[in-house]
């Protein structure tokens, strides 16, 4: 029974739809990465939807780099560089990953879970500044995550997590519209969870430097998947527990 249960559990896990898989490998260094601007519904997109500024300069850019960040992903990354302290004009470096309308995640969509994974390093070579991660929908901001204290502290679920500067971490966020909870993992270790406003649909996620202050961030391997657990998998897990308990009593 146990081998059969193992097979059944392997076939009953939730089916994930991969919508973004961006590595920046093959993109031209020292330029902005190609943009998709119009993702195809249900397809995997290999480039971000949008970067700002579109081309950039030495003071403010979103550029592909293949040197300087050997520990982030495969070493070819996108760098958000912001040394502009003016509060007017274009003063933020940002990158956006947006879903097609058919792939929006809501309380009524087929896939109610959106998962985001990526590798990221925050540096102070360019000065210090906060980093913002905005989860948004057509009705506005769903929730915002901030790497504060000049990029070293992440406040999430009522707890403050401290990360080292110039160190690459693997992040994972999960928005679950079935439970209205958001979960965080860092380097595959669960950190905690927090409630979010599930009345607003999820359309895109954006990473951006502060509008006042400096910032330097490198990221790679950005993925977005949507999924929903299948009820059959939960039932099989319960069955498996009963079978193992009976075998243990024998």
């Amino acid at each position: 029974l146990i081998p059969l249960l193992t097979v059944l559990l392997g076939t009953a896990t939730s089916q994930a739809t991969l919508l973004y898989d961006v590595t920046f490998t093959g993109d031209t260094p020292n330029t902005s990465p190609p943009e998709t601007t119009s993702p195809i519904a249900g397809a995997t997109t290999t480039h971000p939807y949008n970067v700002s500024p579109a081309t950039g300069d030495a003071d403010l850019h979103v550029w592909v780099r293949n040197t300087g960040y050997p520990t982030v992903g495969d070493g070819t990354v996108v760098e958000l560089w912001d040394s502009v302290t003016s509060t007017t004009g274009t003063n933020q470096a940002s990158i956006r990953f947006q879903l097609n309308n058919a792939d929006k995640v809501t309380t009524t969509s087929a896939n109610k879970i959106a998962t985001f994974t990526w590798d990221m390093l925050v540096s102070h070579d360019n000065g210090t500044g906060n980093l913002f991660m905005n989860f948004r929908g057509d009705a506005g901001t769903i929730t915002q995550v901030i790497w504060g204290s000049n990029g070293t502290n992440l406040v999430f679920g009522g707890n403050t997590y401290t990360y080292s500067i110039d160190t690459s971490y693997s992040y994972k966020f999960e928005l679950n519209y079935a439970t209205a909870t958001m979960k965080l993992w860092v380097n595959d270790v669960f950190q905690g969870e927090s409630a979010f406003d599930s009345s607003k649909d999820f359309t895109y996620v954006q990473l951006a430097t502060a509008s006042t202050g400096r910032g330097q961030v490198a990221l790679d391997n950005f993925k977005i998947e949507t999924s929903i657990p299948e009820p059959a998998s939960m039932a099989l897990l319960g069955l498996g527990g009963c079978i193992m308990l009976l075998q243990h009593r024998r």
Side-chain angles (χ1 to χ4, degrees):
L1 286 175
I2 294 299
L4 175 61
L5 179 64
T6 302
V7 172
L8 289 174
L9 282 172
T11 59
T13 55
S14 61
Q15 298 298 312
T17 301
L18 180 63
L19 299 176
Y20 273 92
D21 188 3
V22 185
T23 66
F24 307 104
T25 301
D27 295 339
T28 305
N30 305 322
T31 65
S32 298
E35 300 173 334
T36 62
T37 65
S38 56
I40 301 172
T44 302
T45 303
T46 57
H47 292 295
Y49 177 85
N50 171 262
V51 298
S52 180
T55 54
D57 55 32
D59 294 325
L60 186 70
H61 61 246
V62 180
W63 285 352
V64 175
R65 299 290 200 190
N66 60 358
T67 59
Y69 304 101
T71 63
V72 184
D74 64 2
T76 299
V77 304
V78 69
E79 175 189 71
L80 278 65
W81 179 281
D82 179 1
S83 61
V84 177
T85 57
S86 172
T87 57
T88 61
T90 303
N91 53 17
Q92 288 179 284
S94 67
I95 187 167
R96 179 191 298 187
F97 302 88
Q98 183 162 333
L99 303 187
N100 184 280
N101 287 340
D103 295 314
K104 289 180 181 179
V105 183
T106 71
T107 55
T108 58
S109 61
N111 287 354
K112 292 181 174 62
I113 298 176
T115 305
F116 316 84
T117 58
W118 76 102
D119 300 318
M120 186 172 73
L121 173 150
V122 178
S123 180
H124 281 178
D125 292 346
N126 181 34
T128 58
N130 296 340
L131 175 69
F132 299 85
M133 190 170 191
N134 301 305
F135 298 86
R136 293 181 60 87
D138 293 336
T141 300
I142 302 166
T143 188
Q144 182 184 69
V145 177
I146 303 174
W147 282 259
S149 299
N150 300 320
T152 59
N153 289 345
L154 173 61
V155 178
F156 181 79
N159 298 312
T160 299
Y161 304 95
T162 301
Y163 304 110
S164 300
I165 294 299
D166 292 320
T167 300
S168 179
Y169 294 94
S170 295
Y171 291 93
K172 175 183 175 181
F173 276 112
E174 178 188 276
L175 285 177
N176 189 327
Y177 274 78
T179 60
T181 55
M182 181 178 185
K183 296 181 179 180
L184 165 67
W185 290 260
V186 178
N187 290 343
D188 295 324
V189 177
F190 179 68
Q191 305 291 297
E193 66 179 57
S194 180
F196 72 94
D197 185 0
S198 61
S199 67
K200 300 176 180 177
D201 60 3
F202 169 71
T203 306
Y204 72 85
V205 59
Q206 179 189 50
L207 282 155
T209 60
S211 58
T212 57
R214 299 170 180 268
Q216 180 183 354
V217 179
L219 61 96
D220 193 16
N221 298 329
F222 199 99
K223 294 183 180 181
I224 299 180
E225 293 180 320
T226 61
S227 63
I228 187 165
E230 296 178 5
S233 64
M234 300 306 296
L236 286 171
L237 283 173
L239 176 61
C242 292
I243 292 174
M244 286 186 285
L245 180 60
L246 288 173
Q247 288 196 339
H248 177 71
R249 287 181 176 178
R250 289 177 183 176

